[in-house]
Amino acid sequence: IRTVFSTSRRFMVSGFTPAAAADLARWAEEVARRMEEFLGPIPLERGWFLDLQARPGDRVVRAQGWVDGLLQQRLEIGRDEALDQEDALEGLVWLLLNRWPVVRQNLDDRIHRLAEVPDWLAVGVAQNLYAELRSRNGEVVQERWSRDQLTPWHQLVEQEILPAGRWAEKAEIAFLVAWLVEQRADLDALWAVCA
């Protein structure tokens, strides 16, 4: 077990076998590339990196902090086979999305309370990055719409924290975020509010 860096050196992977670490580093780079195609360049300042670490169990834990003038982010990924890969995807996207509001904060704000995006936004972006997720979500939303069970959008965005796992409202959130991006919503205003 050794530490592996991704090709861009934006991601560091530790606690996994070398083969698994290399796969995770490639996956993180792929997620970042897809995010940039969806939203534009991810802010990156010198010395900022994201650490993907192994942890026991089947949970995903995300953390970030401002230490010695640098943004430090960590995604702990359970090694258990029961781990839901979408939880890992949503955690990685949440950490990367936080960079947009963090770069808008002044140093004092970063030290006192580092900016975070709401979970609904991270889930919505994550669920739009892969065609198979969009297709599955389309079926879920169509089914809920046919039964008149859709959640009003204002209720979706009021949810600051979303539980792990797959549930129908996440499919609806994916459609909301896709619509916002298609409508060229002012994401700068959203980053500023989060900052």
Side-chain angles (χ1 to χ4, degrees), residues 35-56:
M35 281 183 65
E36 290 181 328
E37 288 173 358
F38 193 59
L39 297 173
I42 297 170
L44 179 66
E45 292 188 10
R46 185 175 177 83
W48 288 12
F49 68 92
L50 199 152
D51 186 10
L52 291 92
Q53 294 180 355
R55 63 172 283 122

Side-chain angles (χ1 to χ4, degrees), residues 24-194:
L24 273 171
R26 280 191 294 276
W27 169 75
E29 288 287 352
E30 173 71 11
V31 169
R33 183 189 62 75
R34 288 173 182 260
M35 281 183 65
E36 290 181 328
E37 288 173 358
F38 193 59
L39 297 173
I42 297 170
L44 179 66
E45 292 188 10
R46 185 175 177 83
W48 288 12
F49 68 92
L50 199 152
D51 186 10
L52 291 92
Q53 294 180 355
R55 63 172 283 122
D58 63 355
R59 291 189 50 230
V60 173
V61 176
R62 58 196 193 186
Q64 66 178 9
W66 190 255
V67 181
D68 297 328
L70 297 173
L71 176 65
Q72 295 187 6
Q73 296 178 305
R74 184 178 65 247
L75 184 67
E76 296 179 12
I77 303 172
R79 288 184 285 203
D80 193 306
E81 297 212 6
L83 172 76
D84 188 330
Q85 293 177 350
E86 287 180 40
D87 290 341
L89 173 63
E90 291 167 3
L92 178 59
V93 168
W94 182 80
L95 289 165
L96 291 172
L97 281 175
N98 285 341
R99 292 175 176 213
W100 272 281
V102 166
V103 296
R104 286 162 173 77
Q105 288 185 296
N106 64 40
L107 183 58
D108 284 342
D109 289 341
R110 288 177 182 177
I111 290 169
H112 290 95
R113 187 167 191 274
L114 207 53
E116 297 177 354
V117 298
D119 276 2
W120 68 263
L121 181 61
V123 166
V125 170
Q127 293 290 323
N128 274 286
L129 297 182
Y130 292 90
E132 57 271 21
L133 297 179
R134 290 191 303 272
S135 176
R136 182 199 67 202
N137 290 336
E139 293 172 12
V140 169
V141 169
Q142 178 111 16
E143 178 66 23
R144 288 179 63 81
W145 178 72
S146 70
R147 293 180 180 182
D148 198 28
Q149 294 177 331
L150 290 177
T151 308
W153 283 3
H154 73 276
Q155 288 180 13
L156 293 174
V157 300
E158 288 172 355
Q159 300 178 41
E160 254 327 281
I161 298 172
L162 300 177
R166 300 175 188 186
W167 48 289
E169 286 81 359
K170 286 187 176 183
E172 295 178 34
I173 289 168
F175 268 69
L176 169 60
V177 169
W179 180 80
L180 289 171
V181 171
E182 287 170 11
Q183 297 300 311
R184 299 192 186 331
D186 186 2
L187 294 179
D188 283 335
L190 179 58
W191 308 139
V193 168
C194 292

